[in-house]
Amino acid sequence: MKQTLCAEALGTLVLVMTVVGSGIMAEQLSGGSDGLALIGNTLATGCILVVLITLFWPISGAHFNPAVTLALYFAKELSAPAALKYMVSQICGGFAGTVLAHIVFDMPLLQIATTERASLPLYGSEFIATAGLLCVILLGRTYRPSSIPLLVGLYISAGYWFTSSTSFANPAVTLARMFTDSFSGIAPSAVPWFILVQLSAAWPVLKFTNWLMTNRKAGD
């Protein structure tokens, strides 16, 4: 279990460091163009997800996301204590990732984001983004398990652009991004709502994907 939790913490750390660090780099090099900065942020995030999931899938399942962990708890693949340990590891890893990104870019270690993302359309966007991600994972691991790293990396890359919230889709990443006042930050006012809608996607998506797979197996 220690190796599993270490993998979850380390994977989430690198994921958040990539999201925050690439956001800072993109902002510095984009010449004030938010669209260009988002392209850089997108490419880095999608690529690192492919790498991290490929490496850590055999060790911990490569959740890096409390919403994924919660869905697998609902599926009775994780006990409540194990799921809680996963989530704590992910949150701690995410926070460390933000700090490390600030260190390598010579920024204050702890910041509070000022980028306002508090609005109903963005909350709805986060529910859709997280629901889509969970569908990709739950269906992909059944029908195309070897393709999961690429599927997730591509989905999140697309999600940056087809969702108004830029597809956080991850409570641990959302919390971590609250502590960076950079391109990828999120002001505290929106964080509880983002996390609520992200986690609320777990149960209905699990039931829906189970229904889809049951009907396929039955030949309906």
Side-chain angles (χ1 to χ4, degrees), residues 1-13 56 59-64 69 78 81-93:
M1 191 63 175
K2 290 180 180 179
Q3 291 86 347
T4 297
L5 298 178
C6 180
E8 283 296 299
L10 180 58
T12 312
L13 182 156
F56 290 116
I59 301 172
S60 67
H63 301 188
F64 314 139
T69 299
L78 286 173
L84 182 60
K85 290 176 183 178
Y86 262 69
M87 292 179 185
V88 171
S89 297
Q90 293 155 1
I91 291 168
C92 291

Side-chain angles (χ1 to χ4, degrees), residues 31-216:
S33 170
D34 285 346
L36 188 57
L38 188 59
I39 290 173
N41 205 200
T42 300
L43 290 173
T45 303
C47 289
I48 201 63
L49 278 168
V50 174
V51 173
L52 292 174
I53 296 171
T54 299
L55 292 177
F56 290 116
W57 178 277
I59 301 172
S60 67
H63 301 188
F64 314 139
N65 186 334
V68 175
T69 299
L70 184 62
L72 296 182
Y73 165 72
F74 286 145
K76 299 182 180 179
E77 296 184 22
L78 286 173
S79 66
L84 182 60
K85 290 176 183 178
Y86 262 69
M87 292 179 185
V88 171
S89 297
Q90 293 155 1
I91 291 168
C92 291
F95 178 76
T98 296
V99 173
L100 283 176
H102 290 163
I103 288 173
V104 298
F105 283 95
D106 194 24
M107 298 173 66
L109 299 187
L110 296 177
Q111 309 169 23
I112 297 298
T114 57
T115 304
E116 287 295 339
R117 302 180 190 267
S119 75
L120 284 176
L122 294 184
Y123 303 150
S125 174
E126 272 305 290
F127 181 86
I128 292 169
T130 309
L133 175 62
L134 293 173
C135 280
V136 166
I137 293 169
L138 294 172
L139 293 174
R141 71 190 189 128
T142 298
Y143 299 121
R144 293 290 187 274
S146 62
S147 298
I148 284 287
L150 186 59
L151 290 172
V152 172
L154 289 174
Y155 175 82
I156 291 297
S157 295
Y160 265 66
W161 289 89
F162 75 75
T163 64
S164 58
S165 61
T166 66
S167 192
F168 284 45
N170 185 328
V173 171
T174 301
L175 278 171
R177 289 170 69 167
M178 182 175 68
F179 294 102
T180 179
D181 193 20
S182 60
F183 180 78
S184 60
I186 174 172
S189 58
V191 169
W193 294 104
F194 265 54
I195 292 173
L196 178 63
V197 297
Q198 290 160 355
L199 293 176
S200 69
W203 175 254
V205 169
L206 175 66
K207 301 301 287 186
F208 176 67
T209 54
N210 283 345
W211 175 79
L212 282 178
M213 291 186 284
T214 299
N215 277 277
R216 176 168 177 173

